Amino acid sequence: MAEFSMVRTIERTRQGEALGAAAIEALVDGFTRGDIPDYQTAAWLMAVLWRGLAPDDLTALTMAMARSGDTLDLSSLGRPVADKHSTGGVGDKTTLVVAPIVAACGVPVAKMSGRGLGHTGGTIDKLESIPGFDPELTVARFMDVLRTSGLVLAGQSADLAPADGKLYALRDVTGTVPSIPLIASSIMSKKLAIGADAILLDVKVGRGAFMRTLPEATKLAETMVRIGTGAGKQTVAVISDMDRPLGRAVGNALEVIEAIETLRGGGPDDLRTLALHEAALLLVMTGAAPDEAAGERMAREAIASGAAFAKFADVIAAQGGDRHALEDFSSLPHVAAVQTVTAPASGYIAAIDPLAIGQAAMHLGAGRERKGDTIDPAVGIVLRATVGEWVERGAPLFDIHARDAAHAAAVRADALAGYRFSETPVAVPPLIKTTITAPT
Ligand code: URA
């Protein structure tokens, strides 16, 4: 390659020209080392936001970010390893259900999760509501837990894809977060650094999600599937509904309880349906099941036999968590008093705005308004009735789990404003919109 020029690279991206892998690698290396200044990288990011990136350049960007720090070698497990990622939603505790089911079916699951920001929760925040649970694992400990439990649920290591961490911080302050190629490469670089063989992506769509429309969500899903497939990984994306909260519980310990109930054969229908679908896909992708129907049967059996819950309890204990708290929920963080909000009128529930519920939970202390805020594991909202159901005036609509009456009063009206009622029956939008299995 001719000598790398950042100015020329910005200009070429601005013109919509392909850059080639060598230029992309020079850019990522130079930026990560601090040789390319933020102002030039920010200009390039803005050019990508407007002009996009050629598919080969996008793969090169993702691979360069993935290789910018530690990468794990999972080959010593001797069998295909699964990973799952959600783009984030309100009440999304699916990972806590899917990962133990898949592991209970004999497929190792290596999961690194982030913390939540804004109205969407993070898997690690939820798990940390279990007394003693430690998500901060060294690479050696990560591998050890994975080998002995067949499942590991760790926090994101700062040493994993550090180029992404640095680029994301710059995107955050330069208006360049909402770019499909940049989001796709950011997410996939971390997945590729972990190195699982089968990657299941749950792309949420709707008012409570990053992607508000189906065309946008489809584009993001297709882009990530193309990157993963191009890197030699089995990659499948499920596009699922986030125009209402998933399940009934929103808030960290409350979501852990709902995940456990689902692992034990109960739980809300939508969460169970999504978890079984995703588990079945991962079982097929890793070769553990011949087809989706067989995968779903295996997943149901893992729940019915108690194996899925036992797997969850094992990994929690392996990471220092109190196994007893998974059976006796009074040992999990909880508030002293719960306030129930009732229906102002009789009718069918036509909609529950996930943003209104997510923000109410965040204001109670379940989520972070700013990076670094501490969260309260006990608080949140539990829906007592959901979309499509009939409620009588005065019947329970939702419970507010707040630290005190003032906090509950502060979110009550906003959460209630998220409900829409109808005098006639309403059609519930499909939970699973589509599954994307191959690049188009
Ligand atoms: N999550 C990520 O990891 N990166 C993005 O760019 C957006 C969401």
Side-chain angles (χ1 to χ4, degrees):
M1 175 181 77
E3 200 183 335
F4 175 74
S5 156
M6 189 61 190
V7 177
R8 188 72 197 108
T9 300
I10 296 165
E11 289 168 350
R12 289 175 64 196
T13 303
R14 192 191 66 205
Q15 316 284 61
E17 292 172 25
L19 299 173
I24 297 270
E25 280 159 23
L27 188 161
V28 172
D29 287 352
F31 174 68
T32 311
R33 276 200 313 269
D35 296 345
I36 298 173
D38 283 1
Y39 54 82
Q40 283 190 311
T41 307
W44 181 75
L45 291 168
M46 189 57 85
V48 173
L49 182 132
W50 283 107
R51 300 305 306 251
L53 271 184
D56 287 350
D57 285 354
L58 186 56
T59 301
L61 173 66
T62 313
M63 298 302 287
M65 292 200 293
R67 284 195 292 254
S68 65
D70 286 349
T71 53
L72 302 187
D73 178 5
L74 304 179
S75 61
S76 61
L77 277 113
R79 52 183 310 169
V81 177
D83 190 359
K84 174 206 172 266
H85 179 85
S86 163
T87 56
V90 176
D92 184 14
K93 68 288 285 175
T94 319
T95 294
L96 301 184
V97 183
V98 172
I101 293 176
V102 172
C105 293
V107 174
V109 181
K111 181 74 188 109
M112 271 192 200
S113 305
R115 290 179 192 279
L117 187 60
H119 66 277
T120 65
T123 299
I124 289 304
D125 296 324
K126 300 178 213 270
L127 286 166
E128 277 184 333
S129 66
I130 302 167
F133 179 83
D134 180 11
E136 310 296 338
L137 306 181
T138 60
V139 169
R141 185 91 187 94
F142 181 95
M143 292 301 296
D144 194 37
V145 174
L146 179 58
R147 230 174 253 118
T148 50
S149 303
L151 168 61
V152 59
L153 299 167
Q156 196 87 55
S157 153
D159 299 329
L160 198 88
D164 172 60
K166 223 178 147 197
L167 276 172
Y168 192 87
L170 190 55
R171 286 168 58 206
D172 208 19
V173 293
T174 56
T176 50
V177 168
S179 148
I180 285 177
L182 294 178
I183 295 172
S185 56
S186 166
I187 292 172
M188 292 305 290
S189 66
K190 289 170 284 206
K191 300 284 111 190
L192 296 180
I194 294 165
D197 306 275
I199 303 166
L200 193 278
L201 304 160
D202 184 354
V203 178
K204 300 287 184 198
V205 62
R207 269 186 64 72
F210 238 124
M211 299 289 131
R212 294 294 177 95
T213 67
L214 193 55
E216 276 180 309
T218 305
K219 183 105 182 31
L220 177 62
E222 286 175 351
T223 305
M224 291 196 289
V225 169
R226 191 178 301 118
I227 293 171
T229 309
K233 304 294 184 186
Q234 287 254 15
T235 312
V236 170
V238 173
I239 300 185
S240 67
D241 185 53
M242 194 29 73
D243 268 326
R244 63 195 139 136
L246 182 67
R248 303 262 173 149
V250 181
N252 297 287
L254 297 168
E255 291 190 44
V256 166
I257 291 172
E258 190 168 84
I260 292 171
E261 287 168 350
T262 308
L263 281 169
R264 305 196 89 155
D269 291 346
D270 57 351
L271 175 60
R272 185 179 335 104
T273 301
L274 186 61
L276 288 172
H277 179 58
E278 294 187 357
L281 287 170
L282 276 169
L283 293 172
V284 175
M285 290 159 73
T286 50
D291 55 43
E292 232 185 287
E296 188 159 329
R297 276 197 301 277
M298 287 170 70
R300 284 183 189 279
E301 176 53 28
I303 291 177
S305 67
F309 174 69
K311 186 58 82 176
F312 184 64
D314 282 352
V315 75
I316 296 301
Q319 293 185 224
D322 178 6
R323 187 190 277 267
H324 168 74
L326 309 180
E327 313 254 5
D328 172 9
F329 298 150
S330 69
S331 302
L332 289 172
H334 56 278
V335 299
V338 176
Q339 194 188 91
T340 299
V341 177
T342 57
S346 298
Y348 291 95
I349 299 179
I352 304 175
D353 179 0
L355 204 53
I357 301 297
Q359 283 174 342
M362 181 180 74
H363 292 137
L364 289 171
R368 296 182 182 80
E369 311 212 13
R370 278 172 299 275
K371 224 170 163 173
D373 285 355
T374 49
I375 59 167
D376 184 338
V379 301
I381 291 192
V382 177
L383 310 180
R384 298 277 297 271
T386 194
V387 179
E389 291 176 4
W390 169 267
V391 283
E392 289 291 338
R393 182 167 184 269
L397 261 194
F398 59 91
D399 291 335
I400 303 178
H401 294 241
R403 272 292 151 202
D404 52 46
H407 277 86
V411 303
R412 186 182 185 283
D414 286 347
L416 190 55
Y419 278 72
R420 274 200 299 109
F421 297 91
S422 160
E423 286 176 5
T424 51
V426 291
V428 180
L431 172 67
I432 298 166
K433 311 284 186 197
T434 173
T435 299
I436 292 171
T437 52
T440 50

